[in-house]
Amino acid sequence: MPNNTIRVIQTAKDTSDRLTELAPLRFVPDTDEREMQLINIYEDLEYQEIEGFGGALTEASAVTIAKMSPAKQQEILEAYFHPERGIGYTIARSHIQSCDFALGNYAYVEEGDAELKTFTIDHDREAIMPLIRQAGALTGESFRLFSSPWSPPAWMKTNGQMNGGGSLKPEYRQAWADMFVKYVQEYEAAGIPIWAVSVQNEAKAVQIWDSCIYTAEEEKDFVRDHLGPALEKAGLGHVKVMIWDHNKERVYERAKAAFEDAEASKYVWGICFHWYAGDHFEALSAVHDRFPDKKLFFSEGCQEGGVHLGSWKTGERYGHDIIGNLNNWTTAWTDWNIVLDEQGGPNHVGNFCDAPIIADTKKDEVIYESSFYYIGHFSKYIRPGAKRIASSKYTEHLETTAFRNPDGTITVVVMNRTDAEVPYAIRIRGQLADTSIPAHAIQTLLFKQ
């Protein structure tokens, strides 16, 4: 595109615009007279590099997609993972053993087998692994898979069940670490390399579904004394390890506990987090400021409480959280289930939720929620290797972030959650372009300088 041209992509409530390309804008010389309505881009100031965007390939998503016609299955996968026809996901999350969005509790080893002689991932071969392979094939070499456990096997835990919290018995810490190793090895043998693991999904939550509690000390010690050494000994030191995998309100304290222990910290690539306790964006910057060599990774978010067909607030919730996280040093962003059925499941304890794509398995219909389009304004246009650049805005009515992609394209995302149209002018390097954003809309602006 010419250096004075700005591509504009828009999604707006009460219109047909859904990742729709509008007429381009043109830069004109800044006469130095403008004071109001500016969004400034300072492209010489760089921050974090982006790993990518993605979603979770759960058993619930896999079995739901499998119920659709072949054409609809392909549509769903391409909508997410195709770099041109879709929104360009490059990261996927999966679960080690069962989670709530599985058809039931299951473990990879039989009762009492601390030597792991019965270890098998055959359950995953039925639905989950085929879905991962399809997503990876569409994505190509940039595809990255990370995996999280919701619970160790029931007999390894203090409460004797996979659900309902409980904690890992000390005598089984090494066996559990060795299960991580076997999981990675078996997946890699099946042609699915594991890029990263987290230690435990929601390490503070006692849930009616698969869950396990770690204190900050227990998690740190498990990584330092068992998981890190086990991966290293098996020649899997390249597999990145992330801690916490829970809400942002305690992300700083959990980071301190692990990263101030030099022996534990050397095994930990970063800290991952969810959104269910509110914004806490400043906590992310606090972690970065204290531990600038560690990565911040958003690993899960979804709209709870079943399916919210047609809700615009869901998309805006996603947009607000993504912008806030990115502006506070987050390097990757991963949604929860990529697709759920018309009920918001399946979920083996009835914890139904929304997803950006809902598959009506009775009508063979694919329904795109507002969240799908809002995510796409980031994932499709902020590519792996992009670096956040500095920006400022004139009004609290707009939420913005800016990046430079590896090909030199500058991406600016502008979101308006108010009930009124908001005017603004993009300004960079002595040039500006006047425009506006409708009420309840999101725009992505693309240009080169």
Side-chain angles (χ1 to χ4, degrees), residues 344-357:
N347 183 291
H348 71 86
V349 292
N351 180 36
F352 301 119
C353 293
D354 203 4
I357 291 181

Side-chain angles (χ1 to χ4, degrees), residues 90-382:
T90 58
I91 293 176
R93 185 190 192 200
S94 194
H95 43 96
I96 298 173
Q97 306 192 127
S98 57
C99 67
D100 52 328
F101 281 93
L103 300 185
N105 295 126
Y106 66 88
Y108 295 145
V109 293
E110 293 178 7
E111 178 84 19
D113 178 17
E115 296 181 3
L116 312 184
K117 293 179 179 178
T118 59
F119 184 92
T120 176
I121 57 167
D122 282 351
H123 183 103
D124 295 3
R125 297 182 197 276
E126 297 174 21
I128 298 170
M129 292 171 76
L131 179 62
I132 293 170
R133 288 194 187 93
Q134 289 174 291
L138 283 169
T139 306
E141 292 182 2
S142 60
F143 183 74
R144 291 172 169 180
L145 177 68
F146 79 97
S147 299
S148 308
W150 266 243
S151 174
W155 52 270
M156 288 189 182
K157 295 174 63 186
T158 56
N159 67 342
Q161 58 177 335
M162 295 185 76
N163 301 341
S167 58
L168 178 64
K169 291 181 177 179
E171 61 265 34
Y172 292 125
R173 286 172 184 164
Q174 190 58 50
W176 182 226
D178 291 340
M179 282 188 67
F180 277 82
V181 170
K182 283 188 171 291
Y183 172 85
V184 173
Q185 290 172 333
E186 288 294 307
Y187 263 70
E188 290 195 350
I192 301 175
I194 302 297
W195 173 61
V197 295
S198 70
V199 176
Q200 169 64 44
N201 178 74
E202 299 191 344
K204 196 180 74 71
V206 175
Q207 309 280 26
I208 61 170
W209 55 85
D210 322 60
S211 46
C212 183
I213 303 303
Y214 286 78
T215 66
E217 289 293 311
E218 287 169 342
E219 185 176 39
K220 174 202 68 176
D221 292 349
F222 177 69
V223 172
R224 182 193 64 203
D225 300 335
H226 302 282
L227 181 59
L231 289 168
E232 192 170 70
K233 182 180 178 182
L236 298 172
H238 61 278
V239 176
K240 293 167 171 52
V241 175
M242 296 183 283
I243 59 165
W244 188 223
D245 211 351
H246 205 170
N247 294 325
K248 285 178 273 184
E249 90 288 345
R250 284 176 174 79
V251 71
Y252 183 74
E253 291 87 344
R254 298 296 286 227
K256 279 188 68 176
F259 301 153
E260 287 182 346
D261 184 317
E263 284 302 303
S265 182
K266 72 180 183 181
Y267 294 117
V268 184
W269 179 74
I271 186 164
C272 53
F273 48 88
H274 305 174
W275 73 11
Y276 306 108
D279 287 349
H280 292 285
F281 300 134
E282 300 84 355
L284 304 179
S285 278
V287 172
H288 173 267
D289 292 347
R290 181 70 178 80
F291 307 102
D293 60 325
K294 299 300 185 183
K295 301 291 187 179
L296 288 154
F297 191 110
F298 182 87
S299 53
E300 182 188 316
C302 75
Q303 180 62 48
E304 314 93 321
V307 175
H308 297 254
L309 284 183
S311 168
W312 202 259
K313 288 187 180 297
T314 303
E316 292 185 334
R317 181 184 185 187
Y318 273 81
H320 171 74
D321 190 76
I322 296 171
I323 290 172
N325 290 336
L326 292 177
N327 284 345
N328 288 276
W329 298 95
T330 295
T331 63
W333 189 94
T334 315
D335 188 33
W336 191 206
N337 304 277
I338 63 165
V339 62
L340 293 171
D341 66 19
E342 57 275 4
Q343 191 176 13
N347 183 291
H348 71 86
V349 292
N351 180 36
F352 301 119
C353 293
D354 203 4
I357 291 181
I358 296 297
D360 189 325
T361 58
K362 297 179 173 62
K363 299 178 181 177
D364 195 37
E365 182 181 354
V366 178
I367 302 163
Y368 296 87
E369 299 278 53
S370 61
S371 50
F372 175 85
Y373 300 104
Y374 271 72
I375 295 167
H377 275 270
F378 303 89
S379 60
K380 189 174 177 69
Y381 303 108
I382 302 171

